[in-house]
Amino acid sequence: MQQSALRHHSFGKPLEVLQLESIPVAEPRAGEVRVRLEAASINPSDFGMIAGTYGHLRELPAVAGREGVGVVEALGAGVDSVSVGTRVRFPGEAGAWQASACIAADELLVVPSGVPVEQAAISFINPPTAYCLLRKMVELKPGDWVLQNAGNSAVGLSVIQMARAFGLKTISQVRREELVAPLQAMGADHVVLEGSDWAKNSQQLTGGAAIRLALNSIGGESAIDQIKALGEGGTQVTFGGMVGDKVRFPTRFLIFNDVRLVGFWWDAYARRLGVAGVRAVMAEVYAMMADARLSLPIERKYPFSEYESAIKHAGEPRLGKVLLVP
Ligand SMILES: NC(=O)c1ccc[n+]([C@@H]2O[C@H](COP(=O)([O-])OP(=O)(O)OC[C@H]3O[C@@H](n4cnc5c(N)ncnc54)[C@H](OP(=O)(O)O)[C@@H]3O)[C@@H](O)[C@H]2O)c1
């Protein structure tokens, strides 16, 4: 039996190196299950992996895609911990942009039944990253202020909604005026426009309270504004670099304001947590998804056959994830 898969045989730009191919359907070995994909997401890190610039890479030829959800459709010998029909994470490391794949049963991440399938498809990378950024980097108490750029990204929308659930206040930087109202409707306290000199007035936004944590996934001027707005002893966590440039910032903020600059990478953090630790973080995410305290917009779904349109769409301004379905 054959199935479709989006693969690349060299590293490069997605539209230049990706191909829709027919590959054999794998049979689960002892201890494995075969999972049938329901929906996969398109994330910025997919493009980094396809380009060969990400923190870890796959052997070529590689199926692309890092995040998806599916249902168990076949059990290998000796598997009794899970049954056919169970909804689980679709394999990250094997590549999520394929119709089915085999996974070791003891590594499965089961999705609770109350979580909508499209939310599940985008639950495994950005929401746990947002959770850890808010919960694991600095000690925050209700009422504390958190600043972030890319406020309309999946991480950004997760931060807004989780912060509200935790009693934290947010300032979100965005590039487009039309995003202000929808982000406020999701619970953002303040939404500011990049390049608008907002950092000079940040004390007015917080009523004089110091900003404790800044979350940076952009770089460039956007990250420098954050450093200027952070309160004394505040921490900036960099976890993405959408601008792709080096950040040149005034060192005086490190010296006179005791600002701390650190990084975060969910892949490495999750490896350190281990399977049980990741399941514990995901349980927190799913509790919020199940009662809609956390709900992320979906921009559009495309079949694999229209992957070129899907990839172009994912690179355009939007508010929500683009999904691929087999
Ligand atoms: N370190 C980690 O563990 C980790 C985990 C998850 C995500 N991330 C990173 O977090 C970031 C957000 O990921 P996501 O999946 O949530 O993103 P997403 O939903 O795909 O949204 C992309 C965001 O990036 C903004 N953007 C794109 N190009 C930009 C540019 N040149 N300058 C300024 N803004 C730009 C977009 O703004 P517009 O709408 O205005 O274009 C949008 O807000 C990415 O950098 C990703 O790699 C890191």
Side-chain angles (χ1 to χ4, degrees):
M1 263 205 318
Q2 295 289 113
Q3 63 169 9
S4 52
L6 282 163
R7 293 208 300 181
H8 56 110
H9 295 252
S10 59
F11 295 113
K13 293 187 178 155
L15 291 177
E16 289 171 12
V17 298
L18 274 182
Q19 295 174 23
L20 184 57
E21 296 180 353
S22 180
I23 63 170
V25 174
E27 282 310 315
R29 293 176 298 196
E32 286 185 346
V33 301
R34 189 173 66 235
V35 178
R36 175 172 46 79
L37 176 71
E38 295 181 291
S41 68
I42 302 180
N43 288 310
S45 55
D46 293 321
F47 299 152
M49 272 197 119
I50 295 167
T53 57
Y54 197 59
H56 63 83
L57 300 174
R58 298 188 179 126
E59 267 179 45
L60 298 175
V63 175
R66 304 188 62 229
E67 182 183 45
V69 72
V71 287
V72 174
E73 64 171 6
L75 307 179
V79 175
D80 54 13
S81 55
V82 69
S83 52
V84 169
T86 305
R87 179 167 287 148
V88 296
R89 179 180 185 164
F90 195 71
E93 283 323 301
W97 298 352
Q98 58 183 324
S100 74
C102 292
I103 318 179
D106 58 7
E107 287 173 15
L108 288 174
L109 193 62
V110 174
V111 178
S113 57
V115 177
V117 61
E118 288 177 353
Q119 294 295 302
I122 54 175
S123 66
F124 304 103
I125 296 177
N126 296 314
T129 296
Y131 179 85
C132 293
L133 291 171
L134 289 175
R135 284 308 217 205
K136 311 286 184 190
M137 303 308 290
V138 298
E139 192 103 350
L140 296 173
K141 56 182 189 324
D144 280 345
W145 284 89
V146 177
L147 170 62
Q148 63 164 346
N149 51 28
N152 62 312
S153 66
V155 174
L157 299 177
S158 301
V159 163
I160 287 170
Q161 294 175 64
M162 288 180 182
R164 185 170 60 165
F166 301 151
L168 303 169
K169 304 271 193 188
T170 52
I171 301 173
S172 298
Q173 302 156 249
V174 297
R175 293 200 288 182
R176 290 175 283 129
E177 177 86 49
E178 79 234 33
L179 294 166
V180 175
L183 266 58
Q184 284 173 336
M186 285 186 212
D189 292 288
H190 293 297
V191 183
V192 295
L193 279 178
E194 297 282 18
S196 66
D197 260 3
W198 66 270
K200 285 190 186 141
N201 307 318
S202 59
Q203 288 279 302
Q204 283 164 21
L205 295 174
T206 63
I211 299 171
R212 303 277 329 280
L213 177 65
L215 306 175
N216 167 41
S217 61
I218 299 295
E221 288 301 318
S222 173
I224 296 171
D225 277 349
Q226 291 192 334
I227 292 166
K228 290 178 181 164
L230 267 176
E232 194 172 329
T235 301
Q236 182 188 54
V237 185
T238 292
F239 63 100
M242 297 302 288
V243 165
D245 258 355
K246 289 184 181 135
V247 178
R248 294 166 61 88
F249 64 91
T251 46
R252 58 175 294 115
F253 292 95
L254 289 182
I255 302 162
F256 301 126
N257 292 17
D258 195 23
V259 162
R260 279 129 216 269
L261 308 181
V262 300
F264 177 85
W265 187 26
W266 167 244
D267 296 34
Y269 194 83
R271 263 196 300 278
R272 288 197 296 276
L273 285 179
V275 175
V278 170
R279 285 183 180 140
V281 170
M282 291 309 299
E284 300 286 339
V285 168
Y286 287 140
M288 287 186 265
M289 279 187 161
D291 63 13
R293 276 176 296 162
L294 174 62
S295 179
L296 298 174
I298 303 295
E299 173 88 356
R300 186 159 163 192
K301 286 192 279 187
Y302 289 87
F304 277 1
S305 57
E306 293 175 27
Y307 75 90
E308 288 164 313
S309 304
I311 282 168
K312 280 184 201 146
H313 195 159
E316 290 165 2
R318 59 192 156 72
L319 179 67
K321 279 288 168 197
V322 176
L323 299 186
L324 285 167
V325 291

